[in-house]
Amino acid sequence: MSWLDKIFSSLWKQKALGRSDVLADLAKQQSWAANSQNAIQVSTVFACARVIGEGIAQVPLKLMKESNGKREPAKDNPLYHLLASKPNSWQTSFEYREMMAWHLVLTGNHYSYINRGVSGGSIKELIPLDPKNVTVKQNADFSLSYEVRGKDGAMALVTADKIWHVRGPSQNGYLGLDCVKLAREAIGLALNGEDAAKRLQENGVRPSGVYSVEGTLSPDQYKALAAWIKENASGAENAGKPMILDRSAKWVNTQMTGVDAQSLETRRFQIEEICRFFRVMPIMVGYSDKAATYASAEQMFLAHVVHTLAPWFVRIEQSIDAQLLTDSDRQAGLYSNFVEEGLLRGAAIDTMNTILGYVNGGILTPNEGRALLDRNPDTDPAADQLRIPANVVGLPEAMEGSKDADKTP
């Protein structure tokens, strides 16, 4: 029995549905691998992780059940509430899925311990693990096992059926690629560019050069002159102030300015380069060139949903179906589903047009449309019937007769 099993065995004997406080500290650890910690100091990396994380977290995630051609939320299944509301004792569904996305974007992998309690029945909670504390091993029979390091440094071998492992793009099939490591040159150049810009501003408009005077300076004179330059002739607060020089002194600039070094152009290019690695449209991180128009920006926002978020939705949905549902669950028609319409929350006009299109197009009944707006159903029986467009099914016979009568001279 692994140390995780021993912990939960003791815990669930004390409290059938108790809090997993023993592992709370482990799960709450926010220490990332050093390269990831450095990477998120770059604004573009942070913005890419944030826009993907919030996109995955804000969309409702529901466990659904299909039976006799009818689909409805499987609210009687405990997993429904774990995914939709509260996966564990200290996180909301939003927080949990946002953190999952950050794990996936920055390290390529997310791991959660599947706590089924002592009885081994339904899932009681999902406990996230720090990716740097988990090592994946593929056995000779191609099965997977996981080495998990605890807070005290102790290692435990956990079988695959107790770990929910969501992978990003992978080459070997069992471990996601670490995007930060792959993009280390692009991210490193961005860090260096920010550091160079910082130093440029610290040193002022004439950042580096030679202060030349006639004659030989004594050590005390040299120290006094160096202190005067530091106090009065450098730093952003002294930019634009005139320099007063004596003893036929001259200032000879030996360093390129920000324009000469094309630092701004380099930093702009690095934004695009980093966005390529994370497959995020640059406009989503606050970057847009002068050629962008309102119409093109709207298409870019749509491309973000279709090409950036949608693949993550499918990846997580299929991972839930494969690892958190049993064979009997899947045979019973259970499946997970991201409700992408949740992305329209706050966009009143777009929400109205979308729901009207669904209702008037015969896809949703008026009451189903009202449910999407969290409104009570209409008592009119017609509100529970689909509005099939007449150009699809033709006019009713009574209306056809009336139409022919109108043609009578």
Side-chain angles (χ1 to χ4, degrees), residues 227-357:
W228 181 88
I229 292 175
K230 182 177 181 180
E231 180 179 356
N232 299 283
S234 65
E237 68 277 5
N238 293 316
K241 291 183 179 180
M243 293 178 61
I244 302 174
L245 308 177
D246 57 4
R247 298 182 62 176
S248 299
K250 297 179 181 179
W251 175 265
V252 181
N253 187 46
T254 62
Q255 184 169 340
M256 292 186 295
T257 65
V259 175
D260 296 331
Q262 292 186 316
S263 60
L264 291 179
E265 287 78 1
T266 300
R267 295 184 70 186
R268 289 193 188 101
F269 178 77
Q270 289 313 113
I271 293 174
E272 298 176 356
E273 189 73 357
I274 293 172
C275 284
R276 289 188 187 99
F277 273 99
F278 292 100
R279 202 180 187 183
V280 171
M281 300 295 294
I283 196 172
M284 298 303 301
V285 300
Y287 174 86
S288 178
D289 58 27
K290 296 180 180 179
T293 64
Y294 180 83
S296 63
E298 187 177 23
Q299 289 303 308
M300 292 177 189
F301 295 143
L302 177 61
H304 174 72
V305 176
V306 174
H307 300 296
T308 302
L309 294 181
W312 286 113
F313 292 158
V314 176
R315 189 185 301 276
I316 296 172
E317 286 171 350
Q318 293 192 0
S319 180
I320 293 172
D321 296 346
Q323 299 185 53
L324 300 185
L325 296 179
T326 64
D327 291 339
S328 59
D329 289 335
R330 290 187 290 271
Q331 292 172 2
L334 291 175
Y335 66 95
S336 60
N337 180 51
F338 277 100
V339 184
E340 288 90 342
E341 287 79 7
L343 290 169
L344 295 176
R345 185 169 184 174
I349 298 298
D350 293 331
T351 301
M352 179 192 70
N353 291 334
T354 299
I355 295 177
L356 278 177

Side-chain angles (χ1 to χ4, degrees), residues 1 3-14 117-118:
M1 180 180 289
W3 64 275
L4 285 170
D5 290 321
K6 291 178 181 178
I7 289 174
F8 283 119
S9 177
S10 173
L11 177 70
W12 289 97
K13 284 180 181 178
Q14 299 174 14
V118 179

Side-chain angles (χ1 to χ4, degrees), residues 53-90:
E54 292 178 347
I56 292 175
Q58 77 179 81
V59 175
L61 175 58
K62 296 184 178 182
L63 184 67
M64 304 293 291
K65 184 175 182 179
E66 181 181 4
S67 179
N68 298 323
K70 184 178 181 180
R71 295 174 175 84
E72 58 184 2
K75 294 185 178 181
D76 57 339
N77 191 303
L79 186 59
Y80 176 93
H81 302 285
L82 293 180
L83 296 176
S85 303
K86 190 176 181 182
N88 50 57
S89 61
W90 68 92

Side-chain angles (χ1 to χ4, degrees), residues 152-222:
D152 58 356
M155 299 294 295
L157 189 64
V158 184
T159 55
D161 62 312
K162 297 172 184 174
I163 296 291
W164 180 22
H165 181 187
V166 186
R167 305 172 187 83
S170 174
Q171 282 187 312
N172 56 25
Y174 67 88
L175 188 65
L177 294 171
D178 190 325
C179 186
V180 168
K181 288 184 179 179
L182 294 175
R184 61 183 177 275
E185 298 296 339
I187 296 173
L189 185 56
L191 280 170
N192 291 337
E194 290 184 0
D195 185 63
K198 171 177 173 290
R199 293 178 183 275
L200 184 66
Q201 294 298 321
E202 285 179 346
N203 292 325
V205 292
R206 308 297 287 178
S208 181
V210 177
Y211 187 70
S212 175
V213 299
E214 292 183 355
T216 302
L217 296 175
S218 67
D220 291 339
Q221 289 175 323
Y222 176 82

